[in-house]
Amino acid sequence: MMRTHLNRLRTALRHGADRGDAAIEATIVIPLLIAIVLAVLAGARLSLAGQKTDAAAQAAARAASLERTPAAGQAAAQRAAADALGQRSQNCTSTRVTTDTSGLSASLGQVSSVTVTVSCTVPLGDLLLLGGGPGVRTMTSSFTSIVDAYRERG
């Protein structure tokens, strides 16, 4: 009888020793899962921002190449980049558009090009929902568009 009582006591102690393990495992695993989810969200945001910046650079270069003067080409590139980023709901904390419109000064009949570089600074701090966080990342994209060799220039 004593042996049966000891066996029951050992069994109870063994089962009781496992209590709290799930809470400890959850304490370790849940923060890791949250960190992985935030890393995936940051990666997705950066990938989309890169694609939107590429599209803005392409639209800006095309708009600049259709103009007749370098000054008009730069203005058109600025507008087109802002429109492209706005239409795609890209949240940039700052945007920089650099335009090389020297191709618009080339003489008639000469093949030339216009190159536009668009930089968009993407915020990442809001992923933590605390206002702080990993900061920002600047996405930069360039695109070159050919200027029609026989189009009248100013």
Side-chain angles (χ1 to χ4, degrees):
M1 182 152 203
M2 182 71 151
R3 187 170 280 215
T4 307
H5 184 62
L6 285 175
N7 285 339
R8 278 191 221 155
L9 184 58
R10 283 185 193 141
T11 303
L13 287 175
R14 258 188 257 135
H15 290 283
D18 289 341
R19 291 183 190 207
D21 284 352
I24 292 171
E25 290 170 3
T27 304
I28 294 170
V29 171
I30 288 178
L32 291 175
L33 289 176
I34 291 172
I36 290 170
V37 167
L38 290 176
V40 168
L41 287 175
R45 180 175 290 179
L46 290 176
S47 177
L48 286 173
Q51 292 172 12
K52 292 174 183 180
T53 305
D54 288 345
Q58 184 177 5
R62 180 68 181 141
S65 71
L66 295 175
E67 295 299 323
R68 299 185 191 283
T69 64
Q74 289 180 354
Q78 293 281 345
R79 282 191 309 273
D83 289 346
L85 290 172
Q87 287 175 357
R88 290 174 173 79
S89 302
Q90 178 58 43
N91 183 19
C92 298
T93 57
S94 68
T95 304
R96 188 177 79 241
V97 179
T98 307
T99 309
D100 176 13
T101 56
S102 60
L104 293 174
S105 299
S107 60
L108 195 63
Q110 183 180 356
V111 176
S112 59
S113 63
V114 171
T115 301
V116 176
T117 302
V118 177
S119 296
C120 171
T121 303
V122 181
L124 298 175
D126 59 338
L127 290 176
L128 291 181
L129 305 173
L130 302 173
V136 296
R137 177 80 186 250
T138 301
M139 307 305 291
T140 302
S141 181
S142 292
F143 194 82
T144 300
S145 184
I146 302 297
V147 177
D148 184 6
Y150 297 102
R151 182 167 186 187
E152 182 181 342
R153 298 182 180 124

